[in-house]
Amino acid sequence: MTPAIDVDPHLDEALYGDDRKWRNAPTAVKAERQALADIKRLRRSCLPDAGQLADELLICRPAHRCYYAPCAMCSRASQRAVTFATLDLFRDVPTKARVEPVRICIVPPDISAPMGELSTIDFDHLAATVQNALEASGAVLFAVLGLDISLNDERQKGLGLGWNPHYHGFALTNDAPHLLRVLQAAYPPSVYVHAPIDLGSYDRSVYATSYAFKPVPYRRVSYFDANHYPYPCWNTRHTSLKAREHVEFLLHARELGFARRLILHRVAVTNSNGFLTMKKHE
């Protein structure tokens, strides 16, 4: 199993702490407990490389971090580092007419993989198509997006169970309506995804920013809500991944790493003494 370690992955130990909290932010204690639970789950798994990954995660501790994406403690620190760097990047944006920060959600309508085949998704190609769409719009000054992966259970709809990659993030645009039209043309609706694009205002809050870079996946279950007011309709609920699903995600996260889960459009990132800094890249 080839390690997927980013260039200069060192993060300052302060990012593993609890300063600069936000609503529903995972705590350092919770991350540590989750890491131990993940190691136990990996040891019980019969999937190839699960035991090896458990051994690698076990070494993570203060002053000797593993910097692996499946590590609950390191992935939390990475989320915090990217969140704070993104906030600093957008905080210095001057308020001008026709230039505004927006939040973006992109759900590629026909990209999915059955359970057990998450590794068959070409995430590099997926990121390139998003980059190309942002560039083709001609309306994005810069953007930062994070990869999210959910396991969508749509068996009640007759659409099966599968992994679904999508992106949440933020952009500075000089023409939001045009950007929306370009993205909608690049990602048209399908039977699986009725609204692949969501674009709205970005309030530059810590909570909203952190959500785009959340490291923990979930199971997204579709169900028909006959008691929904004012009329019955399809709805969704989020639940935790089951054991085998979670192990599959952890193993793939090991290969994917941290950097490949980010799209940095016209943005340069530097690591200065364990803290990330983002700047607009011309």
Side-chain angles (χ1 to χ4, degrees), residues 224-278:
F224 189 75
D225 188 353
N227 298 317
H228 184 271
Y229 180 83
Y231 48 80
C233 67
W234 286 98
N235 210 333
T236 60
R237 61 175 178 269
H238 294 168
T239 63
S240 300
L241 295 178
K242 296 181 179 180
R244 188 177 179 88
E245 301 162 357
H246 190 204
V247 170
E248 180 184 358
F249 172 80
L250 291 174
L251 289 169
H252 189 70
R254 174 68 162 77
E255 302 299 322
L256 196 58
F258 290 124
R260 290 171 65 201
R261 292 190 66 171
L262 290 177
I263 290 180
L264 303 172
H265 183 71
R266 297 183 179 177
V267 172
V269 179
T270 56
N271 186 329
S272 177
N273 298 320
F275 292 94
L276 301 184
T277 301
M278 294 184 183

Side-chain angles (χ1 to χ4, degrees), residues 18 109 140 163 180 203 221 227 236 254:
D18 286 321
V140 177
W163 296 103
L180 177 61
D203 63 6
V221 182
N227 298 317
T236 60
R254 174 68 162 77

Side-chain angles (χ1 to χ4, degrees), residues 25-197:
T27 64
V29 170
K30 184 176 180 180
E32 184 176 3
R33 290 173 179 170
Q34 184 62 56
L36 293 174
D38 292 347
I39 290 169
K40 182 181 294 186
R41 178 166 280 181
L42 286 163
R43 290 204 187 285
R44 291 175 175 175
S45 174
C46 60
L47 293 180
D49 295 323
Q52 179 185 339
L53 179 55
D55 292 340
E56 293 170 348
L57 298 184
L58 190 60
I59 70 170
C60 192
R61 60 184 183 275
H64 193 75
R65 296 300 185 181
C66 65
Y67 302 116
Y68 288 155
C71 173
M73 294 181 287
C74 289
S75 61
R76 173 182 176 270
S78 176
Q79 178 198 29
R80 289 164 58 80
V82 175
T83 295
F84 300 149
T86 302
L87 284 169
D88 290 342
L89 175 67
F90 281 88
R91 183 175 293 118
D92 296 332
V93 172
T95 302
K96 297 180 181 179
R98 299 181 60 192
V99 175
E100 61 176 316
V102 295
R103 58 167 177 80
I104 303 173
C105 178
I106 300 175
V107 185
D110 296 312
I111 305 296
S112 64
M115 199 183 83
E117 299 182 20
L118 178 57
S119 61
T120 63
I121 297 177
D122 188 341
F123 288 97
D124 293 329
H125 175 72
L126 181 62
T129 62
V130 173
Q131 284 267 32
N132 291 339
L134 296 175
E135 186 67 31
S137 73
V140 177
L141 281 69
F142 58 81
V144 181
L145 295 93
L147 173 66
D148 192 6
I149 302 173
S150 62
L151 185 67
N152 290 2
D153 185 350
E154 299 189 299
R155 288 176 291 187
Q156 284 195 29
K157 292 183 177 181
L159 299 177
L161 173 71
W163 296 103
N164 174 252
H166 46 286
Y167 285 93
H168 297 281
F170 315 100
L172 185 66
T173 177
N174 54 16
D175 193 339
H178 176 68
L179 173 60
L180 177 61
R181 289 192 296 270
V182 170
L183 292 177
Q184 287 175 332
Y187 298 96
S190 73
V191 65
Y192 297 101
V193 184
H194 299 297
I197 302 299

